[in-house]
């Protein structure tokens, strides 16, 4: 039952009872100043008092002193007509101690000057699908979601009561060898239980992998407390010294949006869980949103995307069997055209900006293909898409909207799915891919074998081609160590009727080797560096002629001697 502002309750007592007991919550009707007028529901389990006694109290009487300002702030927001969802507070119990609860509410639909509040167990802020490990800790995705919710709530309340502490225990991996499995298991159980106990609501601790943990807590807990407690536990349980490293970050949104703060925190979590070279102190500094270079860079990237301050360069993909240029890959360059865009693109993925970047690049490519050198009807162009873009329902909708509007480019516009961001829901991603393919735009997997994906991508995603990562090609052409992998990939793709593209083809010998292994297409400096077509001779085929390409029978061909054509390109 969802009570909305403006709804008619009919029989108030019956409605309250149904609402309160449906979810084991405590429902209260209060005045704007917090005075409790009526209460019903799971009163004893949530506040330690019978519901009938609450009508003699105020909400503030129930809440511990450290959370008073947050409770009053929530009441003020509701009195001003706002709906409040899941503000985390602690109820002071009559016998001592405190219980974490989540407060939600909005103005009473039938009584001016009153509010309808719901107190529920704090665990309700977590999605029921959040993954937990065997120790009862959140996974990284659940931790990110919780951190994002608390940042947004803190921004609304102008409050920075929450802290996120990142904990690194590099010695944990060797404990079983040093002290045995039983002692190690007991230690892990004890210190993870401690993390849960000091976390907000008892549910805000996470196992981030690689002996790294995260916990969200109030200001009463410090990173030093966490370090000292774990060190003491290790010494008392195992007789060994551990040297945990912890650093805390406030959920401070001063001067930035809650979304920017959330993205900065998530970026920090990604680096902490993936980058073994960065120290925890460095990551702590990065995560302080009001001072962070992360937020500054986010704004810089957003400005670049919004203003269109980037350039497209094009690198040919050649049919190894005919030497015809099959299509060009569209590559983005920022600022200095010689600088690699890799770090910027990965940064955009980690901070949630990559969808906007992908849309900007696609829009620019569509425009390019409709006029000037890109409008030549025999030329095809491939645009990269991040796994995060097609995994986001909102971005996927925008992507399909652009593709539907590009029906005139059917067959000429291709897509390559990059592996730098993993795809959790392959079925949903495949549905988007099939929609794209169904509209006449081939889709491939870029850098296959190097990133987050493996052969299960080919099982879960139906695509038209696979681009083999350049490391396999270089090793196969050099010492030959990757030849079995190259053979396995091409054999599998041939049986699946998927074309293969090889990256990093640097010389004729490599091209010939790929032909022997039945690789269909090649890309690399041997066929041409990324370039921009010349503006000379617009409306003709001349802008695409280079020292190694020439037009024959209406198609662009690669030729090692190129027929002596003069360069019309601006190489990177």
């Amino acid at each position: 039952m969802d009570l909305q502002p403006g709804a008619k309750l009919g029989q108030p007592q019956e409605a309250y009872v149904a609402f309160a007991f449906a979810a084991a919550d405590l429902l209260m009707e209060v005045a704007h100043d917090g005075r409790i007028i009526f209460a019903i529901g799971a009163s004893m389990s949530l506040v330690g008092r019978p519901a009938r006694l609450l009508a003699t109290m105020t909400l503030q009487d129930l809440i511990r002193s450290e959370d008073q300002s947050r409770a009053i702030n929530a009441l003020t927001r509701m009195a001003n007509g706002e709906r409040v969802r899941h503000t985390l507070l602690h109820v002071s119990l009559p016998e001592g101690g405190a219980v974490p609860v989540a407060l939600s509410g909005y103005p009473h639909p039938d009584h001016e000057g009153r509010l309808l509040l719901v107190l529920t167990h704090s665990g309700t802020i977590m999605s029921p699908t959040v993954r937990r490990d065997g120790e009862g800790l959140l996974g990284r995705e659940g931790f990110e979601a919780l951190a994002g919710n608390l940042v947004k709530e803190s921004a609304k309340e102008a409050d920075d009561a929450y802290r996120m502490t990142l904990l690194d225990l590099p010695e944990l991996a060797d404990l079983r060898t040093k002290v045995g499995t039983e002692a190690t298991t007991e230690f892990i159980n004890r210190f993870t239980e401690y993390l849960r106990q000091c976390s907000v609501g008892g549910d805000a601790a996470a196992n981030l992998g690689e002996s790294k943990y995260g916990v969200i807590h109030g200001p009463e807990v410090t990173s030093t407390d966490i370090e000292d407690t774990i060190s003491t536990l290790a010494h008392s349980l195992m007789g060994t010294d551990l040297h945990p490293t912890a650093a805390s970050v406030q959920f401070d949104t001063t001067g930035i949006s809650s979304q920017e703060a959330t993205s900065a925190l998530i970026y920090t979590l990604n680096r902490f869980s993936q980058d073994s070279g960065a120290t925890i102190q460095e990551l702590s500094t990065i995560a302080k949103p009001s001072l962070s270079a992360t937020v500054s860079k986010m704004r810089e990237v957003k400005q670049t995307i919004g203003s269109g301050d980037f350039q497209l360069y094009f690198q040919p993909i050649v049919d190894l069997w005919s030497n015809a240029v099959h299509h060009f890959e569209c590559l983005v360059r920022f600022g200095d055209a010689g600088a690699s865009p890799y770090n910027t693109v990965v940064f955009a993925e980690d901070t949630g900006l990559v969808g906007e970047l992908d849309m900007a690049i696609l829009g620019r490519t569509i425009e390019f293909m409709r006029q000037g050198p890109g409008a030549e009807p025999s030329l095809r162009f491939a645009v990269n898409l991040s796994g995060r873009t097609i995994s986001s329902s909102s971005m996927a909708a925008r992507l399909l909207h652009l593709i539907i509007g590009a029906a005139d480019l059917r067959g000429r516009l291709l897509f390559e799915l990059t592996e730098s961001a993993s795809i959790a829901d392959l079925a949903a991603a495949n549905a988007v891919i099939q929609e794209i393919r169904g509209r006449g735009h081939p889709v491939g997997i870029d850098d296959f074998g190097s990133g987050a994906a493996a052969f299960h991508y080919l099982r879960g995603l139906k695509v038209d081609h696979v681009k083999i990562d350049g490391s396999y090609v270089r090793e196969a052409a050099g010492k030959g160590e990757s030849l079995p992998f190259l053979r396995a990939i091409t054999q599998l793709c041939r049986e699946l009727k998927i074309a293969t593209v090889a990256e990093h083809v640097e010389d004729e010998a490599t091209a010939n080797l790929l032909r022997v292994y039945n690789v269909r297409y090649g890309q690399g400096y041997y066929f041409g560096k990324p370039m921009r077509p010349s503006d000379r001779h617009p409306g003709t085929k001349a802008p695409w002629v280079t020292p190694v390409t020439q037009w024959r029978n209406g198609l662009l061909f690669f030729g090692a001697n190129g027929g002596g054509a003069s360069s019309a390109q601006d190489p990177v």
Side-chain angles (χ1 to χ4, degrees):
M1 180 176 181
D2 186 12
L3 294 179
Q4 299 288 343
K8 297 299 182 182
L9 299 182
Q11 300 295 324
Q13 300 291 335
E14 295 176 10
Y16 288 172
V17 170
F19 185 91
F21 285 101
D25 297 337
L26 173 62
L27 179 66
M28 296 183 291
E29 183 179 330
V30 305
H32 284 183
D33 61 2
R35 179 172 50 87
I36 300 172
I37 299 168
F38 176 80
I40 192 167
S43 179
M44 290 301 298
S45 65
L46 285 167
V47 299
R49 300 167 177 88
R52 65 179 181 276
L53 297 182
L54 298 185
T56 65
M57 305 175 67
T58 67
L59 177 66
Q60 295 88 319
D61 293 333
L62 299 176
I63 305 302
R64 70 176 184 177
S65 58
E66 295 92 330
D67 295 345
Q68 287 289 329
S69 63
R70 304 184 65 244
I72 294 172
N73 187 288
L75 291 174
T76 301
R77 288 166 53 200
M78 285 183 274
N80 291 332
E82 186 177 347
R83 181 169 187 148
V84 171
R85 294 179 182 273
H86 302 317
T87 295
L88 287 175
L89 303 168
H90 288 77
V91 168
S92 295
L93 299 176
E95 65 274 15
V99 173
V101 296
L103 170 70
S104 302
Y106 51 80
H108 197 297
D110 295 326
H111 297 283
E112 186 176 354
R114 296 185 185 181
L115 309 171
L116 287 180
L117 306 185
V118 178
L119 285 184
T120 189
H121 293 283
S122 61
T124 57
I125 66 171
M126 299 307 302
S127 165
T129 61
V130 165
R131 180 179 61 82
R132 297 180 183 275
D133 67 4
E135 299 145 8
L137 301 181
L138 298 173
R140 195 180 76 182
E141 290 184 3
F143 196 62
E144 288 180 2
L146 177 59
N149 287 340
L150 295 182
V151 166
K152 292 171 184 175
E153 196 64 34
S154 295
K156 291 178 181 178
E157 297 176 359
D159 183 11
D160 63 351
Y162 300 123
R163 309 286 189 274
M164 178 177 72
T165 291
L166 302 176
L167 172 69
D168 195 1
L169 277 167
E171 299 157 297
L172 192 61
D174 298 324
L175 276 185
R176 284 185 169 83
T177 302
K178 291 178 62 177
V179 302
T181 298
E182 185 176 350
T184 300
T185 301
E186 172 67 13
F187 168 68
I188 291 175
N189 289 340
R190 290 282 296 276
F191 95 74
T192 53
E193 178 59 26
Y194 162 72
L195 292 181
R196 291 185 62 186
Q197 287 177 358
C198 69
S199 73
V200 170
D203 279 318
N207 183 343
L208 303 175
E210 302 296 331
S211 302
K212 297 176 180 179
Y213 296 83
V215 58
I216 298 172
H217 54 85
E220 69 279 1
V221 179
T222 68
S223 58
T224 301
D225 293 336
I226 293 174
E227 289 176 346
D228 292 345
T229 300
I230 292 175
S231 295
T232 301
L233 271 175
H235 191 78
S236 63
L237 293 176
M238 302 180 296
T240 187
D241 291 328
L242 288 186
H243 304 88
T245 306
S248 295
V249 180
Q250 288 183 243
F251 285 9
D252 180 12
T253 59
T254 304
I256 61 174
S257 70
S258 60
Q259 184 58 53
E260 287 174 321
T262 301
S263 296
L265 286 173
I266 291 174
Y267 177 69
T268 302
L269 285 171
N270 287 335
R271 285 200 58 190
F272 177 58
S273 58
Q274 298 172 4
D275 186 354
S276 59
T279 69
I280 198 167
Q281 288 84 359
E282 290 172 344
L283 294 174
S284 172
T285 300
I286 289 172
K288 294 177 180 176
S290 61
L291 304 175
S292 176
T294 301
V295 173
S296 297
K297 188 171 182 180
M298 286 170 57
R299 289 175 170 171
E300 180 183 333
V301 172
K302 289 171 70 174
Q303 172 65 25
T304 297
I305 296 171
S307 64
D309 187 18
F310 59 86
Q311 301 293 332
L312 292 182
Y313 281 70
F314 307 90
Q315 188 171 26
I317 285 81
V318 172
D319 188 328
L320 295 175
W321 301 356
S322 69
N323 274 350
V325 174
H326 183 266
H327 67 274
F328 288 87
E329 180 179 4
C330 301
L331 302 170
V332 66
R333 295 291 186 268
F334 305 98
D336 181 3
S340 169
Y342 177 80
N343 290 334
T344 300
V345 172
V346 171
F347 177 84
E349 286 183 327
D350 285 343
T351 53
L353 298 175
V354 72
E356 296 291 344
L357 178 59
D358 284 350
M359 295 304 100
I361 293 172
L362 175 56
R364 178 75 64 83
T365 302
I366 291 173
E367 180 182 352
F368 173 79
M369 292 177 66
R370 285 175 172 162
Q371 58 185 356
E376 167 57 42
S378 65
L379 297 180
R380 294 181 285 261
F381 300 89
V383 175
N384 290 325
L385 291 176
S386 166
R388 292 188 187 274
T389 297
I390 66 168
S391 296
S392 164
S393 57
S394 60
M395 282 299 164
R398 289 178 58 184
L399 169 65
L400 293 174
H401 178 75
L402 282 174
I403 290 173
I404 291 170
D408 55 312
L409 303 179
R410 182 183 178 93
R412 293 185 57 217
L413 177 62
L414 293 70
F415 293 93
E416 291 184 1
L417 185 64
T418 65
E419 286 197 69
S420 50
S422 61
I423 299 173
D425 190 341
L426 288 177
N430 188 55
V432 177
I433 290 172
Q434 299 322 306
E435 179 76 13
I436 296 172
R437 295 178 71 235
R439 294 187 177 277
H441 305 283
V443 178
I445 298 175
D446 194 14
D447 297 326
F448 182 80
S450 68
F455 286 95
H456 71 277
Y457 263 37
L458 290 184
R459 184 173 59 186
L461 306 176
K462 186 176 181 179
V463 296
D464 299 284
H465 65 270
V466 161
K467 183 177 288 185
I468 304 169
D469 181 64
S471 62
Y472 294 100
V473 178
R474 286 194 302 269
E475 291 175 7
K479 299 180 181 179
E481 295 176 350
S482 291
L483 284 176
F485 297 97
L486 189 63
R487 184 186 298 113
I489 293 172
T490 55
Q491 174 76 17
L492 176 62
C493 289
R494 187 161 58 251
E495 293 183 6
L496 294 174
K497 296 181 172 55
I498 297 173
T500 48
V501 183
E503 291 183 312
H504 291 201
V505 182
E506 307 301 329
D507 51 43
E508 185 176 5
T510 302
N512 288 334
L513 176 66
L514 295 171
R515 291 186 181 100
V516 170
Y517 279 85
N518 292 310
V519 176
R520 182 62 188 268
Y521 303 103
Q523 178 180 7
Y525 281 10
Y526 175 60
F527 300 114
K529 295 182 178 181
M531 48 82 75
R532 296 179 63 191
S534 169
D535 291 331
R536 297 191 296 271
H537 311 295
T540 71
K541 295 179 171 62
W544 296 99
V545 174
T546 75
V548 293
T549 59
Q550 56 185 305
W551 290 94
R552 295 202 304 267
N553 300 322
L555 296 176
L556 188 64
F557 279 84
F558 164 80
N561 297 319
S566 61
S567 175
Q569 67 174 346
D570 300 318
V572 178

PDB file of all heavy atoms in Angstrom, residues 533-555:
ATOM      1  N   PRO A 533      40.654  13.081 -42.968  1.00  0.00           N
ATOM      2  CA  PRO A 533      40.660  13.334 -44.424  1.00  0.00           C
ATOM      3  C   PRO A 533      40.864  14.812 -44.714  1.00  0.00           C
ATOM      4  O   PRO A 533      40.401  15.678 -43.977  1.00  0.00           O
ATOM      5  CB  PRO A 533      39.279  12.857 -44.869  1.00  0.00           C
ATOM      6  CG  PRO A 533      38.439  12.938 -43.638  1.00  0.00           C
ATOM      7  CD  PRO A 533      39.346  12.634 -42.500  1.00  0.00           C
ATOM      8  N   SER A 534      41.586  15.080 -45.757  1.00  0.00           N
ATOM      9  CA  SER A 534      41.878  16.461 -46.133  1.00  0.00           C
ATOM     10  C   SER A 534      40.605  17.187 -46.555  1.00  0.00           C
ATOM     11  O   SER A 534      39.654  16.580 -47.053  1.00  0.00           O
ATOM     12  CB  SER A 534      42.887  16.475 -47.282  1.00  0.00           C
ATOM     13  OG  SER A 534      43.001  17.763 -47.818  1.00  0.00           O
ATOM     14  N   ASP A 535      40.592  18.497 -46.323  1.00  0.00           N
ATOM     15  CA  ASP A 535      39.455  19.321 -46.768  1.00  0.00           C
ATOM     16  C   ASP A 535      39.581  19.705 -48.234  1.00  0.00           C
ATOM     17  O   ASP A 535      38.685  20.336 -48.788  1.00  0.00           O
ATOM     18  CB  ASP A 535      39.374  20.588 -45.914  1.00  0.00           C
ATOM     19  CG  ASP A 535      38.969  20.281 -44.482  1.00  0.00           C
ATOM     20  OD1 ASP A 535      38.251  19.280 -44.282  1.00  0.00           O
ATOM     21  OD2 ASP A 535      39.365  21.040 -43.579  1.00  0.00           O
ATOM     22  N   ARG A 536      40.733  19.367 -48.852  1.00  0.00           N
ATOM     23  CA  ARG A 536      40.903  19.704 -50.258  1.00  0.00           C
ATOM     24  C   ARG A 536      40.001  18.833 -51.129  1.00  0.00           C
ATOM     25  O   ARG A 536      39.737  17.678 -50.806  1.00  0.00           O
ATOM     26  CB  ARG A 536      42.365  19.529 -50.679  1.00  0.00           C
ATOM     27  CG  ARG A 536      43.331  20.459 -49.954  1.00  0.00           C
ATOM     28  CD  ARG A 536      44.714  20.424 -50.590  1.00  0.00           C
ATOM     29  NE  ARG A 536      45.329  19.123 -50.483  1.00  0.00           N
ATOM     30  CZ  ARG A 536      46.078  18.748 -49.444  1.00  0.00           C
ATOM     31  NH1 ARG A 536      46.258  19.579 -48.427  1.00  0.00           N
ATOM     32  NH2 ARG A 536      46.624  17.549 -49.427  1.00  0.00           N
ATOM     33  N   HIS A 537      39.548  19.406 -52.196  1.00  0.00           N
ATOM     34  CA  HIS A 537      38.707  18.702 -53.169  1.00  0.00           C
ATOM     35  C   HIS A 537      37.445  18.120 -52.528  1.00  0.00           C
ATOM     36  O   HIS A 537      37.175  16.908 -52.618  1.00  0.00           O
ATOM     37  CB  HIS A 537      39.499  17.573 -53.854  1.00  0.00           C
ATOM     38  CG  HIS A 537      40.823  17.996 -54.364  1.00  0.00           C
ATOM     39  ND1 HIS A 537      40.963  18.923 -55.384  1.00  0.00           N
ATOM     40  CD2 HIS A 537      42.090  17.630 -53.988  1.00  0.00           C
ATOM     41  CE1 HIS A 537      42.245  19.104 -55.624  1.00  0.00           C
ATOM     42  NE2 HIS A 537      42.953  18.348 -54.785  1.00  0.00           N
ATOM     43  N   PRO A 538      36.668  18.946 -51.829  1.00  0.00           N
ATOM     44  CA  PRO A 538      35.433  18.421 -51.219  1.00  0.00           C
ATOM     45  C   PRO A 538      34.479  17.895 -52.286  1.00  0.00           C
ATOM     46  O   PRO A 538      34.451  18.378 -53.411  1.00  0.00           O
ATOM     47  CB  PRO A 538      34.860  19.658 -50.509  1.00  0.00           C
ATOM     48  CG  PRO A 538      35.430  20.829 -51.241  1.00  0.00           C
ATOM     49  CD  PRO A 538      36.803  20.415 -51.678  1.00  0.00           C
ATOM     50  N   GLY A 539      33.701  16.904 -51.893  1.00  0.00           N
ATOM     51  CA  GLY A 539      32.741  16.331 -52.827  1.00  0.00           C
ATOM     52  C   GLY A 539      33.346  15.319 -53.771  1.00  0.00           C
ATOM     53  O   GLY A 539      32.671  14.824 -54.661  1.00  0.00           O
ATOM     54  N   THR A 540      34.650  14.998 -53.592  1.00  0.00           N
ATOM     55  CA  THR A 540      35.298  13.981 -54.414  1.00  0.00           C
ATOM     56  C   THR A 540      35.851  12.892 -53.509  1.00  0.00           C
ATOM     57  O   THR A 540      35.815  12.983 -52.288  1.00  0.00           O
ATOM     58  CB  THR A 540      36.453  14.594 -55.235  1.00  0.00           C
ATOM     59  OG1 THR A 540      37.527  14.920 -54.337  1.00  0.00           O
ATOM     60  CG2 THR A 540      36.000  15.857 -55.947  1.00  0.00           C
ATOM     61  N   LYS A 541      36.411  11.867 -54.115  1.00  0.00           N
ATOM     62  CA  LYS A 541      37.004  10.771 -53.349  1.00  0.00           C
ATOM     63  C   LYS A 541      38.431  11.078 -52.918  1.00  0.00           C
ATOM     64  O   LYS A 541      39.030  10.339 -52.139  1.00  0.00           O
ATOM     65  CB  LYS A 541      36.976   9.489 -54.183  1.00  0.00           C
ATOM     66  CG  LYS A 541      35.572   8.955 -54.504  1.00  0.00           C
ATOM     67  CD  LYS A 541      35.677   7.692 -55.345  1.00  0.00           C
ATOM     68  CE  LYS A 541      34.344   7.003 -55.520  1.00  0.00           C
ATOM     69  NZ  LYS A 541      33.361   7.833 -56.231  1.00  0.00           N
ATOM     70  N   ALA A 542      38.989  12.169 -53.419  1.00  0.00           N
ATOM     71  CA  ALA A 542      40.400  12.469 -53.184  1.00  0.00           C
ATOM     72  C   ALA A 542      40.800  12.568 -51.713  1.00  0.00           C
ATOM     73  O   ALA A 542      41.920  12.178 -51.353  1.00  0.00           O
ATOM     74  CB  ALA A 542      40.771  13.776 -53.909  1.00  0.00           C
ATOM     75  N   PRO A 543      39.957  13.092 -50.807  1.00  0.00           N
ATOM     76  CA  PRO A 543      40.404  13.235 -49.417  1.00  0.00           C
ATOM     77  C   PRO A 543      40.831  11.930 -48.750  1.00  0.00           C
ATOM     78  O   PRO A 543      41.558  11.971 -47.757  1.00  0.00           O
ATOM     79  CB  PRO A 543      39.164  13.820 -48.715  1.00  0.00           C
ATOM     80  CG  PRO A 543      38.457  14.580 -49.786  1.00  0.00           C
ATOM     81  CD  PRO A 543      38.639  13.742 -51.012  1.00  0.00           C
ATOM     82  N   TRP A 544      40.420  10.781 -49.278  1.00  0.00           N
ATOM     83  CA  TRP A 544      40.745   9.512 -48.642  1.00  0.00           C
ATOM     84  C   TRP A 544      41.953   8.827 -49.279  1.00  0.00           C
ATOM     85  O   TRP A 544      42.366   7.745 -48.840  1.00  0.00           O
ATOM     86  CB  TRP A 544      39.544   8.574 -48.699  1.00  0.00           C
ATOM     87  CG  TRP A 544      38.377   9.113 -47.912  1.00  0.00           C
ATOM     88  CD1 TRP A 544      37.294   9.769 -48.415  1.00  0.00           C
ATOM     89  CD2 TRP A 544      38.219   9.073 -46.500  1.00  0.00           C
ATOM     90  NE1 TRP A 544      36.452  10.138 -47.396  1.00  0.00           N
ATOM     91  CE2 TRP A 544      36.993   9.730 -46.204  1.00  0.00           C
ATOM     92  CE3 TRP A 544      38.970   8.559 -45.447  1.00  0.00           C
ATOM     93  CZ2 TRP A 544      36.512   9.876 -44.910  1.00  0.00           C
ATOM     94  CZ3 TRP A 544      38.506   8.692 -44.157  1.00  0.00           C
ATOM     95  CH2 TRP A 544      37.294   9.345 -43.884  1.00  0.00           C
ATOM     96  N   VAL A 545      42.523   9.438 -50.299  1.00  0.00           N
ATOM     97  CA  VAL A 545      43.704   8.858 -50.941  1.00  0.00           C
ATOM     98  C   VAL A 545      44.939   9.171 -50.108  1.00  0.00           C
ATOM     99  O   VAL A 545      45.169  10.310 -49.702  1.00  0.00           O
ATOM    100  CB  VAL A 545      43.882   9.415 -52.373  1.00  0.00           C
ATOM    101  CG1 VAL A 545      45.191   8.926 -52.993  1.00  0.00           C
ATOM    102  CG2 VAL A 545      42.691   9.013 -53.245  1.00  0.00           C
ATOM    103  N   THR A 546      45.736   8.140 -49.805  1.00  0.00           N
ATOM    104  CA  THR A 546      46.966   8.278 -49.025  1.00  0.00           C
ATOM    105  C   THR A 546      48.097   7.606 -49.803  1.00  0.00           C
ATOM    106  O   THR A 546      47.862   7.008 -50.869  1.00  0.00           O
ATOM    107  CB  THR A 546      46.819   7.614 -47.647  1.00  0.00           C
ATOM    108  OG1 THR A 546      46.894   6.200 -47.800  1.00  0.00           O
ATOM    109  CG2 THR A 546      45.502   7.994 -46.984  1.00  0.00           C
ATOM    110  N   PRO A 547      49.323   7.656 -49.293  1.00  0.00           N
ATOM    111  CA  PRO A 547      50.425   6.958 -49.990  1.00  0.00           C
ATOM    112  C   PRO A 547      50.199   5.463 -50.138  1.00  0.00           C
ATOM    113  O   PRO A 547      50.870   4.815 -50.950  1.00  0.00           O
ATOM    114  CB  PRO A 547      51.643   7.252 -49.101  1.00  0.00           C
ATOM    115  CG  PRO A 547      51.321   8.550 -48.445  1.00  0.00           C
ATOM    116  CD  PRO A 547      49.846   8.496 -48.196  1.00  0.00           C
ATOM    117  N   VAL A 548      49.282   4.886 -49.347  1.00  0.00           N
ATOM    118  CA  VAL A 548      49.082   3.427 -49.424  1.00  0.00           C
ATOM    119  C   VAL A 548      47.648   3.064 -49.793  1.00  0.00           C
ATOM    120  O   VAL A 548      47.249   1.901 -49.658  1.00  0.00           O
ATOM    121  CB  VAL A 548      49.475   2.744 -48.095  1.00  0.00           C
ATOM    122  CG1 VAL A 548      50.966   2.858 -47.852  1.00  0.00           C
ATOM    123  CG2 VAL A 548      48.693   3.319 -46.924  1.00  0.00           C
ATOM    124  N   THR A 549      46.833   4.009 -50.237  1.00  0.00           N
ATOM    125  CA  THR A 549      45.464   3.697 -50.658  1.00  0.00           C
ATOM    126  C   THR A 549      45.166   4.339 -51.996  1.00  0.00           C
ATOM    127  O   THR A 549      45.743   5.380 -52.357  1.00  0.00           O
ATOM    128  CB  THR A 549      44.420   4.182 -49.632  1.00  0.00           C
ATOM    129  OG1 THR A 549      44.547   5.605 -49.467  1.00  0.00           O
ATOM    130  CG2 THR A 549      44.604   3.496 -48.288  1.00  0.00           C
ATOM    131  N   GLN A 550      44.264   3.743 -52.737  1.00  0.00           N
ATOM    132  CA  GLN A 550      43.837   4.282 -54.024  1.00  0.00           C
ATOM    133  C   GLN A 550      42.446   3.767 -54.354  1.00  0.00           C
ATOM    134  O   GLN A 550      42.032   2.722 -53.851  1.00  0.00           O
ATOM    135  CB  GLN A 550      44.822   3.882 -55.124  1.00  0.00           C
ATOM    136  CG  GLN A 550      45.044   2.388 -55.237  1.00  0.00           C
ATOM    137  CD  GLN A 550      46.106   2.042 -56.261  1.00  0.00           C
ATOM    138  OE1 GLN A 550      46.007   2.445 -57.427  1.00  0.00           O
ATOM    139  NE2 GLN A 550      47.126   1.301 -55.845  1.00  0.00           N
ATOM    140  N   TRP A 551      41.740   4.515 -55.164  1.00  0.00           N
ATOM    141  CA  TRP A 551      40.395   4.124 -55.581  1.00  0.00           C
ATOM    142  C   TRP A 551      40.462   3.273 -56.845  1.00  0.00           C
ATOM    143  O   TRP A 551      41.165   3.598 -57.791  1.00  0.00           O
ATOM    144  CB  TRP A 551      39.539   5.364 -55.858  1.00  0.00           C
ATOM    145  CG  TRP A 551      39.174   6.134 -54.625  1.00  0.00           C
ATOM    146  CD1 TRP A 551      39.821   7.199 -54.106  1.00  0.00           C
ATOM    147  CD2 TRP A 551      38.066   5.872 -53.767  1.00  0.00           C
ATOM    148  NE1 TRP A 551      39.201   7.632 -52.969  1.00  0.00           N
ATOM    149  CE2 TRP A 551      38.104   6.844 -52.733  1.00  0.00           C
ATOM    150  CE3 TRP A 551      37.042   4.923 -53.749  1.00  0.00           C
ATOM    151  CZ2 TRP A 551      37.177   6.886 -51.713  1.00  0.00           C
ATOM    152  CZ3 TRP A 551      36.112   4.961 -52.738  1.00  0.00           C
ATOM    153  CH2 TRP A 551      36.180   5.929 -51.731  1.00  0.00           C
ATOM    154  N   ARG A 552      39.702   2.173 -56.841  1.00  0.00           N
ATOM    155  CA  ARG A 552      39.581   1.332 -58.033  1.00  0.00           C
ATOM    156  C   ARG A 552      38.151   0.832 -58.126  1.00  0.00           C
ATOM    157  O   ARG A 552      37.624   0.260 -57.157  1.00  0.00           O
ATOM    158  CB  ARG A 552      40.538   0.132 -57.979  1.00  0.00           C
ATOM    159  CG  ARG A 552      42.002   0.493 -58.014  1.00  0.00           C
ATOM    160  CD  ARG A 552      42.850  -0.703 -58.499  1.00  0.00           C
ATOM    161  NE  ARG A 552      42.646  -1.897 -57.706  1.00  0.00           N
ATOM    162  CZ  ARG A 552      43.397  -2.243 -56.654  1.00  0.00           C
ATOM    163  NH1 ARG A 552      44.402  -1.453 -56.281  1.00  0.00           N
ATOM    164  NH2 ARG A 552      43.153  -3.347 -55.990  1.00  0.00           N
ATOM    165  N   ASN A 553      37.532   1.081 -59.233  1.00  0.00           N
ATOM    166  CA  ASN A 553      36.160   0.602 -59.468  1.00  0.00           C
ATOM    167  C   ASN A 553      35.201   1.038 -58.363  1.00  0.00           C
ATOM    168  O   ASN A 553      34.323   0.272 -57.942  1.00  0.00           O
ATOM    169  CB  ASN A 553      36.138  -0.921 -59.607  1.00  0.00           C
ATOM    170  CG  ASN A 553      36.989  -1.412 -60.760  1.00  0.00           C
ATOM    171  OD1 ASN A 553      37.032  -0.768 -61.823  1.00  0.00           O
ATOM    172  ND2 ASN A 553      37.673  -2.529 -60.566  1.00  0.00           N
ATOM    173  N   GLY A 554      35.368   2.265 -57.886  1.00  0.00           N
ATOM    174  CA  GLY A 554      34.455   2.821 -56.894  1.00  0.00           C
ATOM    175  C   GLY A 554      34.715   2.386 -55.471  1.00  0.00           C
ATOM    176  O   GLY A 554      33.957   2.745 -54.562  1.00  0.00           O
ATOM    177  N   LEU A 555      35.796   1.595 -55.230  1.00  0.00           N
ATOM    178  CA  LEU A 555      36.135   1.143 -53.886  1.00  0.00           C
ATOM    179  C   LEU A 555      37.541   1.612 -53.523  1.00  0.00           C
ATOM    180  O   LEU A 555      38.413   1.733 -54.395  1.00  0.00           O
ATOM    181  CB  LEU A 555      36.052  -0.387 -53.777  1.00  0.00           C
ATOM    182  CG  LEU A 555      34.684  -1.022 -53.975  1.00  0.00           C
ATOM    183  CD1 LEU A 555      34.804  -2.555 -53.933  1.00  0.00           C
ATOM    184  CD2 LEU A 555      33.702  -0.546 -52.926  1.00  0.00           C
TER     185      LEU A 555
END
